[in-house]
Each structure stands twice: as structure tokens, then as C-alpha cells.
Amino acid sequence: MKFIDWLKLNALPFSIVLAATIFGLFFLQSHQTVLSAQVVGVATQRQDSDLVKWRVTVSRNISINDYAQGYTLIERDKEALLELLLSKGLKADEISVDPVSVTEKQDRDGFMTGYLFSIPVLVSTINIDVLQKVALNPSAMVAKNIIPQYSSLEYYITGEKLQELKRTLIEKATSDAKKRAESIAKGSGKKVGALNSAKVGVFQITEPNSTEVSDYGIYSTNTKIKDVSITVNASYNLN
């Protein structure tokens, strides 16, 4: 019998055997379920801020007949505030001053009664204690006839200090995730295998002991001391 004739006679049985073998392997693999543990690791660290910003607006109420004098008085207030800040050891390049703004004042009937002259000032410095003493002691400003219309302190963690903190927290959160996976594995008689995936969440920078969280992250500037936290979602094989 020629080889071609033999091949024609045996092609169908051979293909059936091959198909059955492939199906058997697929069936075997589809029933070999890979167990995995989905865990969330958490890390939190308390951290002092290294930068403070003070937003303050000095203002003057000026009568309707003293408009021109308003500029002279508000300029005098600005210079007095700058002198106070510099005398406490703050630097000129840490202080920025916006232009004067003038708002008309009206009574309940809508008649103009005068003007409010205002100058916004921003101080940004690493000398937190020095600036706090000025901002939290309005009597020193009042003694110089400086009237703060608005005053707000904002605290930040900045630069490499913040980046190093983030790297440390990611490492700690990843370690915490693995420990959680090990607890799951121990309870099920398995061992933790390879890391399948890991996703870092958003950072939450909040006031100490705050329970506030956001899908987009939080950066609270209200307090000098902050709690910085991060989550890591990880998946581990269980062998």
C-alpha cells in the first residue's frame, strides 16, 4: 500500500485522537483553579509640616468723602505690616503683596456710605514658629493700627520630604498587604506565592485622627501636624 493511500485511510482516526488529546489537556487545565488572595494594605504616619503660608488681608473703612485719603492710609497699613514681619526675622522674598482693591459700601437701602480699602498679603516660610507668633497675636497688629480683615494659616509638607514619605508609606502598605495575605493563607492551609498585581491608592493627608477619606485624595492644610496614609490593593497566589 502506498503511503498516500495509508495516510488517507488513517487521517480521520488520527485527527480524532489528536482532537481528543487537545480537548483533554484543555479540560484538565480549566479545572486547575489558581487560588489567590485579594488584600488591601494600609500604612499611616504622623508628620510635621515644613512650610506655612499666611494669607492676611488688611483693610480700612473710608468715608464717602475721604476716597483719596484711603490710598494713603491703606499704604501706611501695608508698610506697618511689612515692618512688623521683617522685625520678627522673616525675609522680604517670603512676602508678596497684591494691589489695593476698593469696594463700595452701601446701607440697607442701597445708598453708598463709603469704601473698603483692602490689600491681600501672602507670607510663605519654613520658619513656622516665627510666623505663628505674628499671625496668632493680632494685638501686635492692632497696636500698629493694622486691621486684619481676613487671616488664615495653611500648613504643607513639601519637596523631597513629601516624596520620601510617600515612598516609605508605599513600602509599608505593600508589606502590610503581604502580611494580610499570609493570614488568609494560614487559615486555609496554603502558602503565599507570587505577587500577581498591586495598585497604589491615593494619598490622604488629613488632620490627626481624622476618619475623612476621598476617592480623589485629601490634602488638609488646617494643622501643622498631619496624618499621611496610603492603601495598596494587591493580589497574591496561594499555593
Side-chain angles (χ1 to χ4, degrees), residues 198-209:
K199 182 179 179 181
V200 178
V202 293
F203 282 89
Q204 313 286 344
I205 303 177
T206 64
E207 301 172 9
N209 303 312

Side-chain angles (χ1 to χ4, degrees), residues 47-164:
Q47 184 69 47
D48 282 344
S49 300
D50 61 341
L51 178 76
V52 63
K53 292 182 180 182
W54 183 35
R55 301 181 190 275
V56 58
T57 300
V58 294
S59 62
R60 277 273 183 172
N61 285 307
I62 303 298
S63 69
I64 195 170
N65 298 318
D66 295 327
Y67 182 85
Q69 187 183 14
Y71 283 99
T72 301
L73 294 175
I74 197 66
E75 181 67 20
R76 185 183 303 167
D77 293 342
K78 181 196 75 174
E79 293 301 325
L81 177 60
L82 293 179
E83 180 183 348
L84 175 63
L85 292 171
L86 294 173
S87 71
K88 299 300 182 181
L90 294 165
K91 301 176 182 178
D93 60 3
E94 296 175 327
I95 307 168
S96 61
V97 181
D98 284 352
V100 177
S101 66
V102 182
T103 305
E104 293 182 357
K105 298 183 65 179
Q106 298 178 342
D107 60 18
R108 288 182 297 180
D109 297 321
F111 292 102
M112 194 172 71
T113 58
Y115 305 92
L116 179 67
F117 282 69
S118 302
I119 294 184
V121 177
L122 172 63
V123 186
S124 180
T125 180
I126 60 174
N127 295 316
I128 296 178
D129 291 341
V130 172
L131 188 55
Q132 277 184 327
K133 289 179 181 179
V134 177
L136 301 178
N137 183 25
S139 60
M141 289 184 283
V142 173
K144 293 180 175 292
N145 292 321
I146 304 170
I147 308 301
Q149 179 191 11
Y150 171 84
S151 177
S152 174
L153 286 171
E154 302 169 2
Y155 300 89
Y156 297 86
I157 306 171
T158 64
E160 182 57 30
K161 184 176 184 179
L162 178 59
Q163 299 310 315
E164 179 62 30

Side-chain angles (χ1 to χ4, degrees), residues 2-21:
K2 294 182 179 180
F3 175 75
I4 295 178
D5 295 332
W6 179 89
L7 184 61
K8 290 179 179 179
L9 290 173
N10 292 278
L12 181 59
F14 178 76
S15 62
I16 293 174
V17 172
L18 179 61
T21 302

